[in-house]
Amino acid sequence: MFRICKLALLAIASLTVIPVGSAMAATLTGKAPIVIGHRGASGYRPEHTLAAYELAIEMGADYIEPDVVSTKDGVLIARHENEISGTTDVANRADFANRKTTKTIDGLPVTGWFTEDFTLAEIKTLRAKERVPFRDQSYNGQFEIPTLQEVIDLAKRKSVETGRTIGIYPETKHPTYFKSIGLSLEEPLVNVLKTNGYDSPDDAVFIQSFEVSNLQFLKTLTNLPLVQLFDASSAKPYDFVASGDSRTYGDLLTSTGLAGIAQYAKGIGPWKRLIIPADTVDNNGDGKPDDLNGDGVISDADKPLQQPTSLINDAHAAGLLVHAYTFRSDDFFLAPDYNGNPEAEYEQFFKLGVDGVFSDFPDTAVAVRNRVAGEPNKDVPEPTSLLAFGILPLAEILRRRKAQ
Ligand SMILES: [Ca+2]
Ligand SMILES: [Ca+2]
Ligand SMILES: [Ca+2]
């Protein structure tokens, strides 16, 4: 009992870390931040399906995010990995049993079924399933794997239906690997986009990658804005690993690194922990991370937040947009400081001046964005009303949260 009280007190104390009462920082452009439906509304439907993207649009997402990999016949399809047993029913297909194999992807052994070993016609016989075990499994087996073209068709159709411009935000997955097997992603990606009329810096398209050299190559192929993704500081872009470049993502976060990125990219897509770090605690002194929510596993829910870094300001100083990932409402993924309220997390990041968020739950992201940071098609809130948000006492904020 005493220990629970102690943890509760610590949790309350850590709340003061959240700058919910701080004044609102500006985005790079002064416009309201964008909401990107991460793999679609993937908190509600199996990721990277037309159903997931359509729901994201209906929930108000400004952009939908297809990750792209290649089929054997060179068609770009929407999947988070080229190994597809985690998100499709391929493992249950006796006719494809002999396609199971082990490959080295980005330096690591991966066993399963790979998109580059299937034609598009074969891929189309598979059905998507939910990856995350604690999310809704009732849609498993219903949806096809969409091509990039089908995702674009959906965005265009929904733009007409809704009267909003629905943007697309494709990510090249494992670009060095796909190049190594003769199926490079960049040319077909640019070709599909150009065929659909996307080639201007003002088009509602961002192309993103965790690698550096393929973005620099894309810069020579297209005028569309590019976004450099960032993994944890100690990790390295895989093209750097492959070429013997020893720099890490942390090295690219310096002012010199960011200035270099601004030569080819319009923005960065950092892991949100590069903006607000979090880590486990050992308050009971047993030498192991404390399981703060007592669910038997250590997850984001057991990592209290720390003070924000200067990354948003640093990126803005280099002229770069900041689109942070990934925002998820599930308790498993939510820092303890938010007390189970995902709205508090969006509010914190919007007040720090983030230019966009990748969200699995775009309905919540859009609601908080519209309330806290203004709506994209309306004027940005007056500074005086922002100040009112800024001086709202913590107790009042907590009271309002309870009332929700
Ligand atoms: Ca992605
Ligand atoms: Ca402990
Ligand atoms: Ca836990």
mmCIF file of all heavy atoms in Angstrom, residues 281-290, ligand 2:
data_model
loop_
_atom_site.group_PDB
_atom_site.id
_atom_site.type_symbol
_atom_site.label_atom_id
_atom_site.label_comp_id
_atom_site.label_asym_id
_atom_site.label_seq_id
_atom_site.Cartn_x
_atom_site.Cartn_y
_atom_site.Cartn_z
ATOM 1 N N VAL A 281 11.920 4.117 -14.731
ATOM 2 C CA VAL A 281 12.443 4.546 -13.430
ATOM 3 C C VAL A 281 12.597 3.312 -12.546
ATOM 4 O O VAL A 281 11.998 2.258 -12.813
ATOM 5 C CB VAL A 281 11.502 5.561 -12.748
ATOM 6 C CG1 VAL A 281 11.534 6.887 -13.482
ATOM 7 C CG2 VAL A 281 10.082 5.021 -12.660
ATOM 8 N N ASP A 282 13.427 3.441 -11.515
ATOM 9 C CA ASP A 282 13.604 2.354 -10.545
ATOM 10 C C ASP A 282 13.439 2.933 -9.148
ATOM 11 O O ASP A 282 14.364 2.965 -8.345
ATOM 12 C CB ASP A 282 14.978 1.702 -10.730
ATOM 13 C CG ASP A 282 15.186 0.532 -9.773
ATOM 14 O OD1 ASP A 282 14.175 0.008 -9.236
ATOM 15 O OD2 ASP A 282 16.349 0.161 -9.533
ATOM 16 N N ASN A 283 12.222 3.393 -8.876
ATOM 17 C CA ASN A 283 11.968 4.046 -7.584
ATOM 18 C C ASN A 283 11.985 3.067 -6.421
ATOM 19 O O ASN A 283 12.237 3.451 -5.291
ATOM 20 C CB ASN A 283 10.622 4.772 -7.619
ATOM 21 C CG ASN A 283 10.650 5.950 -8.575
ATOM 22 O OD1 ASN A 283 11.659 6.656 -8.686
ATOM 23 N ND2 ASN A 283 9.562 6.162 -9.296
ATOM 24 N N ASN A 284 11.703 1.777 -6.699
ATOM 25 C CA ASN A 284 11.714 0.808 -5.590
ATOM 26 C C ASN A 284 13.094 0.182 -5.398
ATOM 27 O O ASN A 284 13.285 -0.659 -4.528
ATOM 28 C CB ASN A 284 10.634 -0.260 -5.785
ATOM 29 C CG ASN A 284 10.873 -1.108 -7.038
ATOM 30 O OD1 ASN A 284 11.922 -0.980 -7.691
ATOM 31 N ND2 ASN A 284 9.911 -1.963 -7.366
ATOM 32 N N GLY A 285 14.058 0.622 -6.228
ATOM 33 C CA GLY A 285 15.453 0.270 -5.982
ATOM 34 C C GLY A 285 15.790 -1.207 -6.110
ATOM 35 O O GLY A 285 16.761 -1.673 -5.528
ATOM 36 N N ASP A 286 15.029 -1.965 -6.907
ATOM 37 C CA ASP A 286 15.349 -3.390 -7.051
ATOM 38 C C ASP A 286 16.247 -3.659 -8.266
ATOM 39 O O ASP A 286 16.484 -4.814 -8.621
ATOM 40 C CB ASP A 286 14.069 -4.235 -7.130
ATOM 41 C CG ASP A 286 13.288 -3.990 -8.408
ATOM 42 O OD1 ASP A 286 13.659 -3.055 -9.175
ATOM 43 O OD2 ASP A 286 12.292 -4.704 -8.648
ATOM 44 N N GLY A 287 16.735 -2.587 -8.869
ATOM 45 C CA GLY A 287 17.648 -2.755 -9.991
ATOM 46 C C GLY A 287 16.953 -3.052 -11.303
ATOM 47 O O GLY A 287 17.618 -3.249 -12.330
ATOM 48 N N LYS A 288 15.603 -3.085 -11.281
ATOM 49 C CA LYS A 288 14.847 -3.351 -12.514
ATOM 50 C C LYS A 288 13.897 -2.187 -12.775
ATOM 51 O O LYS A 288 13.463 -1.521 -11.828
ATOM 52 C CB LYS A 288 14.007 -4.624 -12.355
ATOM 53 C CG LYS A 288 14.817 -5.901 -12.230
ATOM 54 C CD LYS A 288 13.859 -7.091 -12.133
ATOM 55 C CE LYS A 288 14.393 -8.152 -11.195
ATOM 56 N NZ LYS A 288 13.345 -9.034 -10.690
ATOM 57 N N PRO A 289 13.537 -1.959 -14.038
ATOM 58 C CA PRO A 289 12.568 -0.896 -14.330
ATOM 59 C C PRO A 289 11.247 -1.162 -13.604
ATOM 60 O O PRO A 289 10.791 -2.314 -13.550
ATOM 61 C CB PRO A 289 12.368 -0.981 -15.847
ATOM 62 C CG PRO A 289 13.522 -1.781 -16.365
ATOM 63 C CD PRO A 289 13.960 -2.671 -15.247
ATOM 64 N N ASP A 290 10.646 -0.124 -13.031
ATOM 65 C CA ASP A 290 9.369 -0.279 -12.332
ATOM 66 C C ASP A 290 8.227 -0.433 -13.339
ATOM 67 O O ASP A 290 8.135 0.334 -14.305
ATOM 68 C CB ASP A 290 9.091 0.952 -11.455
ATOM 69 C CG ASP A 290 10.088 1.087 -10.320
ATOM 70 O OD1 ASP A 290 10.884 0.144 -10.119
ATOM 71 O OD2 ASP A 290 10.074 2.139 -9.655
HETATM 72 CA CA CA B 2 12.440 -1.319 -9.956
#
